Amino acid sequence: MLHGYGPTILQGAWLTLSLALISMTVAIALGLLGAAVRLSHVKWLAALGEGYATVIRGIPDLVLILLIFYGGQDLVNRLAPLLGHPRYIDINPFIAGVCTMGFIFGAYLSETFRGAFMAIPRGQAEAGAAYGMSGMQVFRRVLLPQMIRFAIPGFTNNWLVLTKATALISLVGLQDMMFKAKNAADATREPFTFFLAVAGLYLLLTTVSLVILRWVEQRYAVGTRLAEF
C-alpha cells in the first residue's frame, strides 16, 4: 500500500515524536521562567516577560520558524569569524527545530503557568511560611502541585498544537515523517496515500497523548472534587 516507504515514514514519525518531546521540555523551562518574570514585582522584568509573550503569540508559527532558522543561521555565521571560526556553520535542522519550537511554545506556556499560579490563593503560600517552610519548600510542596493541576488543561492544548506544528519544521530540511511522506508522494505520484498515512499517525499520537494527559489530570484532581462539594 505504501510501496515500501512504510519503514521510512515510521522513522520520520520517531523523529517527529523526539522533536515534540524535546521541544516541549525547552518550552516548559521557558514557560516557567516567563511566568516567573511576568509575575515579578520588578516592573522592567514584568514588561520584558509581557513583551516576549505578546510578540511571539502574535506572529504566525511559520513566519517565526523561517525568521529564527534563517536569521539565526545568518547571525551565527556573522559572529563565527569574530570568534576565530572562519568556516561556514550549517545549523542542524533538528537542533534548530527544537530551539524554535521551544522558544515559540515557551511564550504560550508562560501564559498557561501564569494563570495557574494566579489561581492559587495567596493564603496557601502564607500558610506554608507560617509552618516554617523556606521559600523553595513552599514552592515545591505547596505551590507547584497545585499549579500543575490548574495548568494541565492548558498544557494539554499546547502539547497537541506543538505536536501538529512540528510538521512545519520539514520546510527547513528536517527529515520528519512529513518530509518523508512528501518525498514518497513525489516519487510515486500518490500524494493522497502518503499524506493520509501521516494524518493517521498524527491522529494516533494526539489521541494517545490525550489519554495519558487526562489520566494525569485525574490523578492530580484526586481529593479536590470532593473538597469542592
Side-chain angles (χ1 to χ4, degrees):
M1 181 179 178
L2 294 178
H3 306 285
Y5 286 97
T8 301
I9 293 176
L10 287 177
Q11 289 177 358
W14 173 250
L15 186 63
T16 295
L17 179 59
S18 301
L19 173 64
L21 288 172
I22 300 174
S23 297
M24 181 53 77
T25 302
V26 174
I28 290 172
L30 289 177
L32 287 171
L33 179 61
V37 168
R38 294 175 70 186
L39 292 171
S40 172
H41 296 295
V42 181
K43 290 185 177 181
W44 70 268
L45 274 178
L48 183 64
E50 287 291 341
Y52 165 58
T54 301
V55 170
I56 299 304
R57 290 186 298 160
I59 300 176
D61 294 348
L62 178 58
V63 175
L64 283 170
I65 289 169
L66 296 176
L67 279 174
I68 294 174
F69 180 76
Y70 292 109
Q73 185 153 280
D74 181 66
L75 178 62
V76 167
N77 282 286
R78 286 177 183 271
L79 294 176
L82 301 177
L83 300 174
H85 194 289
R87 295 183 180 179
Y88 183 82
I89 299 174
D90 191 10
I91 297 177
N92 183 287
F94 184 83
I95 296 175
V98 167
C99 294
T100 302
M101 299 301 290
F103 183 71
I104 292 172
F105 282 88
Y108 289 96
L109 284 180
S110 72
E111 180 63 23
T112 298
F113 294 151
R114 184 183 74 93
F117 277 119
M118 292 179 68
I120 303 172
R122 291 187 177 182
Q124 299 284 334
E126 294 172 357
Y131 272 100
M133 294 183 186
S134 65
M136 183 56 68
Q137 287 176 325
V138 169
F139 175 78
R140 183 167 53 87
R141 297 179 182 178
V142 179
L143 299 181
L144 185 60
Q146 296 185 76
M147 185 278 291
I148 292 175
R149 178 167 64 87
F150 288 124
I152 286 176
F155 176 87
T156 299
N157 183 60
N158 280 297
W159 164 253
L160 296 179
V161 175
L162 183 150
T163 302
K164 294 182 292 183
T166 55
L168 298 173
I169 304 298
S170 63
L171 295 175
V172 297
L174 181 67
Q175 297 188 21
D176 63 343
M177 63 177 170
M178 191 64 194
F179 185 94
K180 301 282 190 181
K182 178 67 166 58
N183 287 346
D186 290 342
T188 61
R189 297 184 180 180
E190 295 185 16
F192 182 79
T193 299
F194 292 99
F195 293 144
L196 184 62
V198 167
L201 287 172
Y202 273 111
L203 181 60
L204 176 63
L205 178 57
T206 54
T207 301
V208 172
S209 299
L210 273 174
V211 171
I212 294 173
L213 288 169
R214 282 176 179 170
W215 176 81
V216 173
E217 184 177 5
Q218 290 174 356
R219 292 286 295 177
Y220 271 91
V222 170
T224 59
R225 292 178 180 175
L226 291 176
E228 290 174 358
F229 287 106

